[in-house]
Amino acid sequence: MKRLPPGLRTALLALALMAGLVVPAMWAASQERGGRDYATFYAATRVWAQGGDPYDTAQLTALVRADGSRKTAVYPFFYPPTALPLLSWSLLLGMRSGHLLMAALNLGALIGLGAILVRWFAAPGWLVVALLITSSGAMEMARLGQVNGLVALLAGVGLWRGRGAPVAIAALVKMSPALYLARWVARREWRPVLVAAGVAVAALAVCVPLVGLQRSQRFFFELLPAMGSGAWNGLDVPLSFRANHSLAGLL
């Protein structure tokens, strides 16, 4: 059977991505009045900007109820203090528009990660497209306004190119990508580990004065240790929970 021309194959794969992933995911996001996860980002950045405590869930819920962006309570904010400046663009947008932009950015990042996988593992393009289209996580990411796509793209770039800086930036938003450093440690590849550590230290030096020493200490000395038991700043999630994305869940 004669193979399709490269340009036509690319166009068909792009069409499949739009029809099977982007359009339905953005439609699902548009039906939400501020995704569950994005509502937390929206509230936490505003509470922080107003001098409050972004790790106090009561303050987050009070803010969204006061400005009318959400009637129900928001989930706790359990991301590192370095995530707040990186999410501060949300201060410029309303709940709904910010959620849609977050969904679009993460879907684009997820497609970018797929392109990396094609090059990294010489995987067939149709296989990667099929994985993206059939991934329930991709749809949920857009609907809930999660940041997972951007984090995954940064981590993927770092692992593909053997660079520690992108992995460190991913971990500054969501700490779990820092576990990827164990791969380099096991292989005694110290350069990316040291670069990642340097980026993390520099980012903390910049962000801690912005976020506040007391809030930063609360996260690292109170909230972070408790997460090992599944207590995510008041949101109790069992480590065996299927969607927990933890090492225990993987095992």
Side-chain angles (χ1 to χ4, degrees), residues 79-84 86 167-175 199-201 203-204:
Y79 296 85
T82 49
L84 288 164
L86 293 174
V167 175
I169 296 171
L172 293 173
V173 179
K174 192 170 185 176
M175 297 193 70
V199 170
V201 170
L204 283 171

Side-chain angles (χ1 to χ4, degrees), residues 191-233:
R191 181 180 176 83
V193 174
L194 293 175
V195 169
V199 170
V201 170
L204 283 171
V206 172
C207 292
V208 166
L210 291 174
V211 176
L213 180 60
Q214 186 176 3
R215 300 184 192 97
S216 300
Q217 287 178 328
R218 182 183 177 193
F219 174 81
F220 286 108
F221 295 107
E222 295 180 25
L223 304 183
L224 185 59
M227 290 180 186
S229 64
W232 297 78
N233 191 16

